[in-house]
Amino acid sequence: MPESGLKPLLTDIAAQANVSLATVDRVVNRRKGVSDRTRRRVLEVARDLGYIGEEEAAHIGAERALNITVLLPAGTNPYLRLLGERVKARIGLAGASDPFLRCLFIESFNAEALAEALRKSADWADGIAFFAIEHPEVRAAAAEVAARGVRLVTIVSNLGERAGVAHVGLDNHAVGRTAGLLVGRLAGRSEGAVALVAGSRKYRAHSDREAGFLSLIEELFPRLTLVGLREGHDDAGENYRHTLALLDQQSDLVGIYNVGGSSGGITRALRERKRQDIVFVGHGLTADTRRALLDGTMDAVFDQDPDLLLDRAILNLTQPESRPNPLKADIYFRENLP
């Protein structure tokens, strides 16, 4: 028993419950690998010692709902930050029967970091939803984690069909074609240059959108010339510098499609150069893209509702027999903003 007036420690619980410190840690943090009988005993002792209250003990000790980890790329991409905020909001509102959620941000575009995060998360999680990087290291980690019985689903960007991992997101090739149609039609010119900005081709979502865009432009607007794709790594500063260079180098620039995020850097450059004549289409309805639509700097924004995305991902992890269909792409213009 702890000395009078001192907060009990995990070691006090372990001693009185006659279990290891590691077992107590697993129970209070809802990790796997503890029998229901031991779990109940540890929680009873923790409650009696005053380490946790009645309500928290009931919450932790309820029939164990799934532990789910959401892995997202770190950085300044406003849509991914919004997605992380949505996950954290669900954590705060979760009931006893809801899955336990964790949200971790991993170094962007780093396949080794993502593979390591998948393996580490598998120690706690029953299911993992992750923004995938299509890379052999990530595929190997996903196969290893799945073999341990952990459920997996990719969100926004997938691992490709041969990885065998369910995916929740848009049909990105179709989205890219739609973006090409919008840019070609809205430009109102049969000739000129169009530019692509991506986060990275390491994300299959970005490469699929690029391929769709290119196929549509070649098919319907063959006299529009594509200038080389710039990788801005979903960083507003990089996107800003790329756009300034494009404006300096391409006097006939008529359109830009940002297949990734952080469109704020592009809109900043367009505003500074007073180039609202350039058609600009991007992704993710966030505060910055909403403002750009309203002032006419952006023409259209593709969006996938973050709450629906999370709903579908969690449903797939809790009911893996259900195979998700592609999400519906919302397209916002100034006149239909919600």
Side-chain angles (χ1 to χ4, degrees), residues 78 236 239 258 260-268 280-284 288-289 298:
N239 285 346
N258 181 17
S262 294
S263 289
I266 300 173
T267 57
R268 176 186 167 197
F280 178 29
V281 175
H283 281 264
D288 61 330
T289 55
M298 289 189 81

Side-chain angles (χ1 to χ4, degrees), residues 260-288:
S262 294
S263 289
I266 300 173
T267 57
R268 176 186 167 197
L270 292 176
R271 289 188 186 104
E272 286 183 2
R273 295 295 179 86
K274 304 185 186 307
R275 293 301 306 272
Q276 289 189 340
D277 59 306
I278 293 175
V279 176
F280 178 29
V281 175
H283 281 264
L285 185 62
T286 54
D288 61 330

Side-chain angles (χ1 to χ4, degrees), residues 94-133:
S97 61
D98 295 322
F100 265 60
L101 295 176
R102 285 181 175 175
C103 184
L104 302 175
F105 284 88
I106 311 304
E107 183 182 349
S108 300
F109 315 107
N110 188 327
E112 291 76 16
L114 177 56
E116 181 182 2
L118 284 168
R119 293 187 174 100
K120 285 186 176 180
S121 296
D123 293 336
W124 177 81
D126 302 291
I128 303 172
F130 64 106
F131 193 116
I133 297 173

Side-chain angles (χ1 to χ4, degrees), residues 245-318:
L246 281 168
L247 295 173
D248 289 338
Q249 297 162 10
Q250 298 292 149
S251 60
D252 61 343
L253 188 67
V254 298
I256 299 174
Y257 173 37
N258 181 17
V259 307
S262 294
S263 289
I266 300 173
T267 57
R268 176 186 167 197
L270 292 176
R271 289 188 186 104
E272 286 183 2
R273 295 295 179 86
K274 304 185 186 307
R275 293 301 306 272
Q276 289 189 340
D277 59 306
I278 293 175
V279 176
F280 178 29
V281 175
H283 281 264
L285 185 62
T286 54
D288 61 330
T289 55
R290 179 185 290 273
R291 184 170 61 253
L293 285 172
L294 288 171
D295 70 18
T297 311
M298 289 189 81
D299 294 277
V301 170
F302 292 92
D303 191 55
Q304 46 191 325
D305 182 271
D307 290 311
L308 178 60
L309 182 71
L310 291 172
D311 285 343
R312 294 284 182 86
I314 292 170
L315 176 65
N316 184 262
L317 291 173
T318 55

Side-chain angles (χ1 to χ4, degrees), residues 32 40 48 62-63 101 146 154 162 165 291 309 331:
K32 298 177 291 185
R40 287 194 297 271
D48 291 346
E63 183 178 350
L101 295 176
T154 58
R162 66 192 181 99
V165 177
R291 184 170 61 253
L309 182 71
I331 309 177

Side-chain angles (χ1 to χ4, degrees), residues 29-210:
N29 289 292
R30 292 184 57 86
R31 295 190 178 94
K32 298 177 291 185
V34 182
S35 70
D36 288 340
R37 181 179 179 181
T38 300
R39 185 181 301 278
R40 287 194 297 271
R41 173 61 179 156
V42 169
L43 288 172
E44 180 183 347
V45 171
R47 184 194 60 211
D48 291 346
L49 291 179
Y51 185 84
I52 56 177
E54 289 282 352
E55 184 176 346
E56 188 176 1
H59 186 42
I60 297 174
E63 183 178 350
R64 199 174 78 81
L66 294 183
N67 293 336
I68 293 177
T69 296
V70 180
L71 300 177
L72 298 173
T76 60
N77 184 324
Y79 178 80
L80 294 180
R81 290 165 65 181
L82 175 63
L83 191 57
E85 290 170 5
R86 292 287 199 271
V87 177
K88 291 173 182 176
R90 289 171 181 244
I91 294 172
L93 297 173
S97 61
D98 295 322
F100 265 60
L101 295 176
R102 285 181 175 175
C103 184
L104 302 175
F105 284 88
I106 311 304
E107 183 182 349
S108 300
F109 315 107
N110 188 327
E112 291 76 16
L114 177 56
E116 181 182 2
L118 284 168
R119 293 187 174 100
K120 285 186 176 180
S121 296
D123 293 336
W124 177 81
D126 302 291
I128 303 172
F130 64 106
F131 193 116
I133 297 173
E134 191 176 18
H135 189 278
E137 286 277 356
V138 179
R139 283 197 294 270
E144 177 186 319
V145 167
R148 293 169 60 180
V150 178
R151 304 169 187 176
L152 297 173
V153 63
T154 58
I155 54 176
V156 182
S157 192
N158 65 8
L159 280 175
E161 293 298 325
R162 66 192 181 99
V165 177
H167 176 64
V168 175
L170 303 176
D171 179 341
N172 285 298
H173 190 271
V175 167
R177 284 185 61 85
T178 307
L181 182 64
L182 285 172
V183 170
R185 293 288 190 190
L186 293 174
R189 294 169 55 181
S190 60
E191 296 183 356
V194 292
L196 282 167
V197 178
S200 172
R201 285 190 174 99
K202 291 180 180 179
Y203 290 147
R204 188 179 181 91
H206 293 191
S207 60
D208 282 352
R209 291 170 190 169
E210 175 192 357

